[in-house]
Amino acid sequence: MLKSFLHYSKSQQIGIILLFLIILVAQSIYFFKDFNSVYKVDKGQAAWLANQRIIDSVQLQQANYKPTIYPFNPNFITDFKGYKLGMSVEEIDRLLAFRKQNKFVNSASEFQAVTKVSDSLLKAISPYFKFPDWVKNKKNNYQPFENKNYSKAEKVIVLDINEATKEDLMKVYGIGDKISDRILTEKEKYGGFVSMEQMQFVWGLSPEVIENLNKYFEVKSAPKIKRININNASVKELSQFPFFKYALAKDIVIYRSMNGDIKTEDLSKIKGFPIDKIKIIALYLEF
């Protein structure tokens, strides 16, 4: 090899030497250099991967989560509540259409007849149905209306609802021990009733019972209540009024600061104000 190498010209010899050097350098680089790609993980992704086990456990808990169902009156099921219970849109719409006629379901069988829910769904949710006391006790405690103190032959004596006792209220057909307590608690909460329309806000009173109440009770004189000055009260003072929550109290103050003193006609312009209760609420306010 040496003899044959010496037969080449000087330039050829230099070229051969350079070729061997290049091959040697390339092999050395390949042997000592790590050509594996390096995957860089940023800090945010590293934190995410570190918490992946926690995330997986939370997802597993959510997959196995079953919401707790509390007793409820099926007459007041909303779209969202019906969806959570497993009712279809058509079944919910049937119930809402029935309620728009001012009718009530008073048993699980009536609920199924109106909504047409399946037997399996009814079996699952009916144990949580909670009907008013007078519905459950009407068969056991029913007495002909003529046998009560307010007899047809007697002249009806209309009492002031703000002076009514528990015994007075229980003389009305459809009002039992618990509902009478609920009415009196509602009266104490507001300092007195300003309108018989407030009976519709007492839970458990059906339209029929409210109609009976209106026969024997009325607001004869304005109760001695401490009215809230809506233009001077603070957020804290407004939020203590039973009709107002903190968020609404805050919106009232914001509206007042931007538009000046609030008048009765301005109440409907305030964000989140309960429009259906404006007439009642206004009677508790001072402008």
Side-chain angles (χ1 to χ4, degrees), residues 197-249:
E197 290 184 26
Q198 288 177 262
M199 295 301 107
Q200 64 183 302
F201 304 132
V202 179
W203 186 86
L205 290 183
S206 68
E208 293 79 10
V209 175
I210 293 175
E211 185 179 350
N212 287 337
L213 273 171
N214 286 325
K215 290 179 182 178
Y216 304 110
F217 297 98
E218 65 181 24
V219 179
K220 289 194 172 184
S221 58
K224 295 180 181 179
I225 57 176
K226 184 179 179 181
R227 288 183 167 80
I228 299 176
N229 191 319
I230 196 170
N231 289 309
N232 293 324
S234 65
V235 173
K236 182 178 179 181
E237 291 170 333
L238 290 170
S239 63
Q240 292 173 346
F241 180 47
F243 278 114
F244 296 158
K245 293 183 179 179
Y246 181 82
L248 178 56

Side-chain angles (χ1 to χ4, degrees), residues 119-175:
D119 292 339
S120 58
L121 179 59
L122 182 69
K123 184 178 180 181
I125 66 176
S126 60
Y128 302 99
F129 287 177
K130 182 177 177 63
F131 296 101
D133 297 330
W134 68 271
V135 173
K136 295 184 290 185
N137 299 328
K138 64 182 179 180
K139 292 183 179 180
N140 299 329
N141 299 333
Y142 174 75
Q143 293 180 344
F145 188 70
E146 293 78 14
N147 291 337
K148 290 187 174 287
N149 291 342
Y150 299 112
S151 174
K152 289 183 178 178
E154 296 177 351
K155 182 179 179 181
V156 175
I157 300 175
V158 180
L159 303 177
D160 189 338
I161 188 66
N162 288 310
E163 296 179 359
T165 64
K166 182 173 182 175
E167 291 72 22
D168 292 331
L169 293 169
M170 290 180 65
K171 291 176 182 178
V172 178
Y173 177 68
I175 296 182

Side-chain angles (χ1 to χ4, degrees), residues 35-95:
F35 288 96
N36 293 327
S37 59
V38 178
Y39 180 70
K40 294 183 179 180
V41 180
D42 58 32
K43 293 182 179 180
Q45 191 171 6
W48 175 269
L49 292 173
N51 294 320
Q52 187 62 47
R53 182 178 298 176
I54 300 174
I55 295 169
D56 291 340
S57 65
V58 171
Q59 289 177 340
L60 181 61
Q61 290 177 1
Q62 290 179 342
N64 298 328
Y65 170 73
K66 292 183 178 179
T68 303
I69 302 177
Y70 297 97
F72 62 94
N73 189 330
N75 287 291
F76 302 102
I77 291 177
T78 60
D79 289 336
F80 180 68
K81 177 76 173 178
Y83 168 76
K84 288 178 65 179
L85 292 172
M87 296 175 63
S88 66
V89 176
E90 293 77 13
E91 291 166 348
I92 299 170
D93 287 343
R94 291 189 194 105
L95 177 63

Side-chain angles (χ1 to χ4, degrees), residues 8-25:
Y8 292 110
S9 64
K10 190 175 182 178
S11 60
Q12 290 175 331
Q13 292 174 1
I14 293 172
I16 292 172
I17 292 172
L18 287 176
L19 177 61
F20 275 105
L21 287 175
I22 292 172
I23 293 172
L24 182 61
V25 171

